Amino acid sequence: MDLLRFATAGSVDDGKSTLIGRLLYDSKSIFEDQLESIELASKNRGAETTDLALLTDGLRAEREQGITIDVAYRYFATPKRKFIIADTPGHQQYTRNMVTGASTADLAIILVDARKGLTEQSRRHATISSLLRVPHVVLAVNKMDLVDWSEERFDEIYREFTDFASKLDIPDLTAIPVSALLGDNIVDRSTNMDWYQGTSLLYHLENVHIGSDRNLQDVRFPVQYVVRPQTAEHPDYRGFAGQVASGILKVGDEVMALPSGLSTRVAAIDGPNGPVDAAYPPMSVTVRLEDEIDLSRGDILCRKGNHPEPTQDIEATVCWMDATPLTERRKVSILHTTRMARAMVKEIAYELNVNTLHRDQDVHELGLNSIGRVKLRVTTPLLIDDYAENRITGSFILIDEATHRTVGAGVIRH
Amino acid sequence: MTQPASLALSQLDALEAEAIHIIREVVAQMERPALLFSGGKDSICLLHLAIKAFAPAPVPMPVVHIDTGQNFPEVIEYRDRIVEQYGLTLVVGSVQDAIDAGKVKEAPDGSRNRIQTPVLLETIEDNRFDACMGGARRDEEKARAKERVFSFRDEFGQWDPRNQRPELWSLYNGKVHPGESIRVFPLSNWTELDIWDYIRSRDIEVPSIYYAHDREVFLRDGMWMASNEWAVPPEGVETQVRKVRYRTVGDATLTAAVESDADTIDKIIEETAATRLTERGATRGDDRVSEAAMEDRKKEGYF
Ligand SMILES: Nc1nc2c(ncn2[C@@H]2O[C@H](COP(=O)(O)OP(=O)(O)OP(=O)(O)O)[C@@H](O)[C@H]2O)c(=O)[nH]1
Ligand SMILES: [Mg+2]
């Protein structure tokens, strides 16, 4: 069975959590005691019907305010697939948590309230999904019950969205009219919208093709940890542990280590359940090499003719997630694959206006939840690829040197 | 040698790879990590993953057991045998010792659940652990569903659910100041069914109480409690012998058994796939107290 990770996105109150609740409820993925507990919680809040959003809004503060604050992860399976859901908050203040949920998603469901149409926050989330290159996007036009199940309204929002998305990078877009509250087109096809010819949301989630989203071309193996038992039984064992970022690594292959540039061959690959002939993403393995070369955490195994670029100058689009704005000349820690270094902001080239996608070059700092182009100088060369080619070697996070909080997320574009 | 059938990992293999990656990050980034090991099925899987992550080298961190003193004997026997078998270093944080020293007090109903937290925090402080890995899963409970894989704790061990560090891709931020620490949950994305699938496919031994057996039990709040020195049936309540098994293993005063015929791993998996109750809903008295019982305990520093 394979695995699909998906995240919700969209403005506050557009119905994200209700939609996830409905999906779990109608696919019979809710346990009796969970249902009982949200029935009781709904009643305690004076609601007449059970609020399915409470299935993911599990924190006290969320239930008090009726909003989502942080991502909730939920799990369910159908005979076709296992799903990991990240239900993210729509509130602008918690954009950092939406980014957290979307960063690992294979698919994003962007909800739009049919009455309101696209809002700034819908556009921000669409922009973030595109920036993170979430490979599949579903536009779920929600609350169709409140617009008389109108095909015209759906078409209007669909056009508005595709207009905006044409300036973004969204390789696969599917639009579905739904009512999360009533269940239309969530698990079962709606009987209120005969004009809609497509499938239900669940059917789409079960069948969307995700097999080709991985990069099996470029060998990248960031070394996480060196395994050296130095025991009587294994006096000479020296293995390089890590998770394959991309490409296929085979026993006998010639590989190059960076930054040293030294070449050798793969002598053996130890998987979690014994030796294997080949390793490919996302396997965690330990690689043994034929020659004793200089290689440690933060280094990368790749191929002579196909390797990442070692550079101290990085240009990236950064999503800033801290209340103190990012300014030029500021120093931060940077974590890229398994390498931690320090970086200085050389230049903030522009801020991206998420409503118009205009690049505002007069802006030289990035405030909370804003997105912009940043040039960094790093203390030591990082082994980078373009994020478009490689989600792992093309991404990094920024960490505040004083508070140690994660304050920024960057995707690298040459 | 095993040849990959196709270049896709099954979802269980993908979960295994993710967990091993997380465990290695902990050891690579942190100075004094520890692994919480209770002898329950989740921490058993976690320990096996840690063994695989560093093989053929030994697990480079101690295992910690916060011992309430109210244990199932089968579990303690199992714990000690595994520690011996894998040459592990065991650190025990004893709730009984803390009670004897007057540091903590049992709840009026005899429950030691809440006073585990100060003992855990003291154990972390005494040993200067800056990271503690646990086997908690997000599917267990609604507050856990919100928690990061690398979950930051301040110098009081507190979790602040409204102010968690963003966590993107597979980049984990383990930076802490002295006194602060990180709780790490490598099994975040596993479900109860995944755990049993893993135990079956990797042929892992678990304590016998997970398999259906005859036991003397009595009914308390609709749940079957084993009658033993800590859980005594109230007057007028009869004990009876029933075929039961445990879905979770916690404090013996609090953890209920479920009626079951599942005495083999295949039957357990069948039963787990068909169950209509969550494992905590079916077996844990401690989560029934209030709507936010787990969130509140976690804010105080509980696992
Ligand atoms: N009529 C109608 N109401 C809906 C529908 N979907 C959601 N709602 C209502 O919209 C309100 C907000 O729903 P939520 O699911 O909490 O919204 P959300 O998008 O998760 O909000 P945040 O997570 O805080 O951003 C609730 O009162 C829902 O009952 C729908 O399809 N039709
Ligand atoms: Mg919500």
Side-chain angles (χ1 to χ4, degrees):
Chain A
M1 196 168 21
D2 69 353
L3 180 65
L4 180 86
R5 295 180 190 243
F6 68 92
T8 59
S11 280
V12 71
D13 277 352
D14 282 356
K16 297 176 290 298
S17 301
T18 308
L19 177 125
I20 295 308
R22 178 53 74 180
L23 191 62
L24 293 169
Y25 184 80
D26 286 356
S27 64
K28 312 210 163 36
S29 313
I30 300 178
F31 293 96
E32 281 165 19
D33 53 311
Q34 289 174 328
L35 188 61
E36 257 168 51
S37 110
I38 64 160
E39 280 169 354
L40 187 70
S42 301
K43 241 185 239 137
N44 290 344
R45 277 165 186 74
E48 277 161 31
T49 52
T50 301
D51 181 0
L52 292 175
L54 296 180
L55 278 169
T56 54
D57 289 341
L59 297 175
R60 191 195 291 279
E62 293 178 324
R63 292 185 167 195
E64 274 165 17
Q65 301 172 62
I67 59 161
T68 305
I69 292 174
D70 211 330
V71 203
Y73 293 91
R74 295 292 309 229
Y75 306 82
F76 82 110
T78 66
K80 286 229 162 115
R81 256 183 192 157
K82 179 175 170 187
F83 299 96
I84 300 184
I85 309 172
D87 180 32
T88 77
H91 205 292
Q92 202 208 322
Q93 189 187 343
Y94 304 119
T95 302
R96 61 176 191 274
N97 299 333
M98 179 273 171
V99 178
T100 292
S103 69
T104 50
D106 304 307
L107 179 147
I109 305 174
I110 301 181
L111 275 86
V112 174
D113 184 329
R115 295 168 306 173
K116 297 187 196 151
L118 293 196
T119 63
E120 173 172 333
Q121 195 62 353
S122 331
R123 294 194 177 91
R124 176 177 280 110
H125 283 186
T127 306
I128 291 171
S129 304
S130 145
L131 184 70
L132 296 171
R133 296 187 81 87
V134 179
H136 310 274
V137 169
V138 173
L139 170 69
V141 179
N142 189 30
K143 309 199 185 182
M144 289 300 291
D145 54 303
L146 298 179
V147 296
D148 247 350
W149 315 103
S150 158
E151 181 175 11
E152 288 70 41
R153 187 64 189 136
F154 173 73
D155 286 343
E156 216 175 322
I157 291 172
Y158 178 62
R159 271 195 308 274
E160 202 188 348
F161 188 85
T162 47
D163 257 9
F164 181 73
S166 67
K167 294 175 255 175
L168 296 172
D169 199 359
I170 294 182
D172 171 36
L173 175 70
T174 305
I176 306 178
V178 301
S179 169
L181 191 68
L182 305 177
D184 291 68
N185 284 338
I186 304 296
V187 168
D188 301 310
R189 288 277 312 271
S190 169
T191 51
N192 291 308
M193 292 176 278
D194 289 338
W195 48 266
Y196 172 70
Q197 304 298 319
T199 65
S200 74
L201 176 64
L202 180 61
Y203 184 90
H204 181 70
L205 296 173
E206 285 185 320
N207 291 287
V208 60
H209 178 68
I210 49 171
S212 48
D213 298 340
R214 279 181 311 159
N215 175 343
L216 296 173
Q217 259 63 58
D218 315 313
V219 171
R220 301 288 185 270
F221 183 76
V223 174
Q224 238 190 318
Y225 184 82
V226 183
V227 178
R228 283 178 65 221
Q230 296 178 293
T231 52
E233 218 178 318
H234 302 279
D236 301 321
Y237 186 101
R238 188 155 166 263
F240 302 93
Q243 189 167 24
V244 183
S246 58
I248 305 167
L249 200 61
K250 294 201 191 79
V251 174
D253 279 359
E254 188 171 341
V255 286
M256 180 172 80
L258 278 180
S260 74
L262 297 171
S263 286
T264 178
R265 282 182 192 280
V266 175
I269 304 174
D270 296 320
N273 304 295
V276 290
D277 291 329
Y280 45 89
M283 284 169 73
S284 281
V285 295
T286 304
V287 175
R288 281 181 278 154
L289 300 173
E290 281 186 359
D291 305 293
E292 291 255 332
I293 59 168
D294 174 18
L295 189 62
S296 57
R297 177 172 167 87
D299 298 351
I300 279 183
L301 284 179
C302 49
R303 293 205 199 289
K304 226 183 194 134
N306 176 346
H307 57 81
E309 219 48 67
T311 174
Q312 282 175 265
D313 290 296
I314 291 177
E315 240 193 278
T317 304
V318 167
C319 178
W320 188 250
M321 305 184 288
D322 198 50
T324 313
L326 181 68
T327 48
E328 292 177 347
R329 308 209 60 77
R330 162 102 179 257
K331 294 193 181 75
V332 287
S333 297
I334 182 169
L335 178 63
H336 171 257
T337 68
T338 54
R339 165 126 28 231
M340 185 82 81
R342 296 183 73 210
M344 191 193 44
V345 180
K346 273 203 328 205
E347 188 191 334
I348 295 176
Y350 60 80
E351 181 187 343
L352 195 65
N353 179 317
V354 293
N355 261 316
T356 60
L357 299 179
H358 172 73
R359 298 170 172 187
D360 190 344
Q361 295 178 345
D362 299 331
V363 174
H364 294 287
E365 60 173 49
L366 292 181
L368 177 66
N369 299 324
S370 51
I371 297 168
R373 179 70 127 187
V374 175
K375 292 181 182 164
L376 299 169
R377 174 81 182 166
V378 188
T379 46
T380 171
L382 299 183
L383 305 160
I384 62 166
D385 287 296
D386 200 299
Y387 185 79
E389 257 88 67
N390 202 311
R391 258 180 157 185
I392 295 174
T393 51
S395 60
F396 60 82
I397 56 171
L398 300 175
I399 298 169
D400 186 285
E401 297 195 308
T403 64
H404 291 165
R405 283 185 62 85
T406 304
V407 286
V411 301
I412 296 167
R413 303 259 162 105
H414 288 313
Chain B
M1 294 227 182
T2 49
Q3 187 72 34
S6 72
L7 293 181
L9 288 194
S10 74
Q11 72 99 13
L12 198 61
D13 290 338
L15 289 173
E16 177 182 60
E18 179 186 65
I20 289 176
H21 172 77
I22 295 164
I23 293 167
R24 287 171 174 166
E25 271 312 282
V26 173
V27 170
Q29 285 194 36
M30 311 307 290
E31 303 214 329
R32 293 179 67 87
L35 186 151
L36 266 100
F37 182 64
S38 64
K41 65 184 186 306
D42 304 310
S43 67
I44 291 170
C45 286
L46 181 63
L47 178 61
H48 275 266
L49 288 158
I51 291 166
K52 290 175 190 290
F54 303 102
V59 177
M61 69 196 122
V63 298
V64 174
H65 182 214
I66 302 305
D67 181 358
T68 61
Q70 300 172 333
N71 300 296
F72 296 96
E74 297 92 334
V75 177
I76 292 296
E77 181 275 323
Y78 175 91
R79 176 197 79 183
D80 293 340
R81 194 152 45 74
I82 293 295
V83 163
E84 167 91 35
Q85 184 180 336
Y86 292 100
L88 304 166
T89 309
L90 176 69
V91 174
V92 176
S94 163
V95 174
Q96 186 62 53
D97 288 355
I99 292 174
D100 294 344
K103 291 179 186 160
V104 293
K105 250 178 122 159
E106 258 176 7
D109 64 358
S111 158
R112 295 182 169 185
N113 190 51
R114 208 158 186 128
I115 56 178
Q116 280 181 78
T117 301
V119 177
L120 169 65
L121 296 180
E122 195 180 66
T123 308
I124 291 174
E125 232 178 278
D126 288 351
N127 291 277
R128 288 180 291 117
F129 293 135
D130 59 358
C132 279
M133 268 191 274
R137 314 185 316 266
R138 285 173 176 153
D139 84 323
E140 279 179 71
E141 205 280 334
K142 59 188 182 302
R144 290 209 193 284
K146 295 269 165 182
E147 195 162 8
R148 299 284 187 262
V149 172
F150 267 49
S151 181
F152 174 80
R153 298 300 156 106
D154 67 9
E155 58 272 62
F156 300 98
Q158 299 182 102
W159 179 54
D160 182 358
R162 301 186 63 170
N163 204 15
Q164 301 192 81
R165 287 178 176 177
E167 188 165 80
L168 286 98
W169 300 291
S170 45
L171 292 171
Y172 300 104
N173 174 2
K175 286 208 169 206
V176 291
H177 294 108
E180 298 169 344
S181 64
I182 307 273
R183 304 281 172 86
V184 184
F185 305 106
L187 307 182
S188 283
N189 290 323
W190 296 48
T191 63
E192 185 185 11
L193 194 55
D194 294 328
I195 293 285
W196 284 113
D197 271 341
Y198 193 72
I199 289 170
R200 174 168 66 182
S201 77
R202 306 297 188 261
D203 200 14
I204 295 169
E205 185 202 339
V206 295
S208 56
I209 66 170
Y210 279 115
Y211 294 94
H213 55 280
D214 286 327
R215 187 176 283 263
E216 203 175 316
V217 290
F218 65 94
L219 214 47
R220 188 169 85 188
D221 299 335
M223 294 190 281
W224 292 108
M225 304 299 298
S227 119
N228 54 32
E229 58 182 295
W230 308 289
V232 183
E235 214 155 310
V237 175
E238 293 280 311
T239 66
Q240 41 188 299
V241 173
R242 294 254 165 178
K243 193 148 199 198
V244 297
R245 68 177 199 88
Y246 284 86
R247 277 177 75 183
T248 65
V249 167
D251 192 303
T253 60
L254 282 169
T255 308
V258 293
E259 276 202 280
S260 169
D261 288 320
D263 52 8
T264 65
I265 183 88
D266 289 341
K267 288 187 196 166
I268 290 179
I269 288 175
E270 215 174 290
E271 191 180 278
T272 308
T275 181
R276 301 306 312 148
L277 290 177
T278 64
E279 63 177 58
R280 287 197 163 254
T283 66
R284 283 298 181 84
D286 41 337
D287 289 335
R288 298 195 157 189
V289 187
S290 84
E291 210 183 305
M294 173 66 88
E295 179 180 343
D296 292 344
R297 274 184 288 138
K298 286 184 79 65
K299 282 179 183 161
E300 290 169 8
Y302 183 76
F303 241 82

